Amino acid sequence: MNQEKTITDFHNLFYDSRIFKKITWLGHKIWKNPLDLWIYQEIIHNKKPELIIETGSYSGASAHFLLSMMNLSGIQANVISIDIVKVHFPKTEGLLFITGSSTDLNIFKEIKEKSKNKKTMVILDSDHNKNHVLQELNLYSELVSVGQYLIIEDTNLNGHPVISKGFNGQTPGPWEAVEEFMIGRSDFSIDTKMEKLLLTMHPNGFLLKNV
């Protein structure tokens, strides 16, 4: 059996079927690969971030999932999620939704202030256009604490390996943004160990802050 081909074929089947759109967390649509959510759980338990910043809220379920995993790990923590569309999620202690663009400098300054003196992890999952993701990377990488992760979601688009051109036909996308961001950098490294469950929608997207 050609393992790489098998994984790629199943990855395309999983993605093109859009089955991830039917996945829910406590009744709310979450649009995630459950294998990636399991890895998030492991990262949170092992790294114990005090704050997770998420760009791209959708229904709010992913932010709630992250907060739930933090609470289960005994962490007094908060999640901040930013989206251009207002999220109508039940009010939850420790969960803050901000309406606006993740690259709006006023919003970024607000989030930067809230992240002071907190072990901070960042997940990027908003507009998947390369230029936007690169803007986010250049901004939010500053907020990631040493030993924590900067995760770029949906790097699987544009043939990495899914054939889809990405949301709204945007190409290049997150994979290409990561490639450019990583040129000449030593403060982050790509942690492929976080791809151990074989199918991830974020290949080469788990960046570990080293210094």
Side-chain angles (χ1 to χ4, degrees):
M1 178 188 295
N2 184 323
Q3 178 174 290
E4 185 176 346
K5 182 178 184 303
T6 300
I7 294 168
T8 296
D9 288 346
F10 183 67
H11 195 141
N12 277 290
L13 176 63
F14 178 87
Y15 190 88
D16 292 339
S17 71
R18 294 298 195 265
I19 191 67
F20 59 87
K21 290 189 175 183
K22 299 179 181 179
I23 295 170
T24 60
W25 169 253
L26 299 179
H28 299 275
K29 289 184 178 180
I30 193 168
W31 280 28
K32 302 288 183 186
N33 171 6
L35 297 177
D36 286 323
L37 293 178
W38 188 268
I39 293 297
Y40 284 4
Q41 170 271 140
E42 290 190 357
I43 288 173
I44 288 168
H45 178 75
N46 291 329
K47 295 297 185 179
K48 294 184 168 46
E50 298 166 330
L51 172 66
I52 296 180
I53 300 166
E54 172 194 61
T55 67
S57 308
Y58 183 50
S59 70
S62 57
H64 187 261
F65 171 86
L66 296 169
L67 182 66
S68 297
M69 295 305 103
M70 295 164 91
N71 290 338
L72 284 171
S73 293
I75 308 166
Q76 293 295 316
N78 294 276
V79 175
I80 300 174
S81 187
I82 312 107
D83 202 295
I84 58 173
V85 178
K86 185 174 179 62
V87 176
H88 299 284
F89 192 85
K91 188 173 182 179
T92 304
E93 185 177 354
L95 190 54
L96 173 64
F97 291 103
I98 296 176
T99 304
S101 171
S102 58
T103 56
D104 182 311
L105 292 182
N106 289 325
I107 287 176
F108 176 73
K109 288 176 184 176
E110 177 185 351
I111 294 170
K112 183 177 180 179
E113 185 64 29
K114 292 180 184 297
S115 70
K116 280 185 177 178
N117 302 316
K118 292 181 179 177
K119 284 198 297 183
T120 301
M121 169 178 157
V122 173
I123 299 175
L124 305 180
D125 185 30
S126 60
D127 187 330
H128 289 74
N129 177 277
K130 174 193 171 183
N131 291 335
H132 178 82
V133 178
L134 193 55
Q135 276 186 282
E136 287 186 324
L137 280 164
N138 288 325
L139 284 172
Y140 289 89
S141 59
E142 175 189 342
L143 306 186
V144 180
S145 302
V146 173
Q148 296 293 326
Y149 282 90
L150 169 59
I151 302 172
I152 302 86
E153 296 203 345
D154 299 301
T155 48
N156 62 343
L157 300 175
N158 308 315
H160 306 290
V162 298
I163 304 305
S164 170
K165 292 296 184 182
F167 300 116
N168 301 319
Q170 294 174 348
T171 181
W175 174 285
E176 292 78 15
V178 171
E179 279 190 320
E180 184 167 329
F181 174 75
M182 289 298 293
I183 293 173
R185 299 192 77 104
S186 59
D187 52 342
F188 283 92
S189 58
I190 296 174
D191 189 0
T192 56
K193 296 191 299 298
M194 296 301 101
E195 302 177 34
K196 65 184 179 182
L197 299 183
L198 305 182
L199 171 59
T200 175
M201 292 172 76
H202 323 315
N204 279 1
F206 292 88
L207 308 187
L208 183 62
K209 183 90 172 267
N210 302 310
V211 291

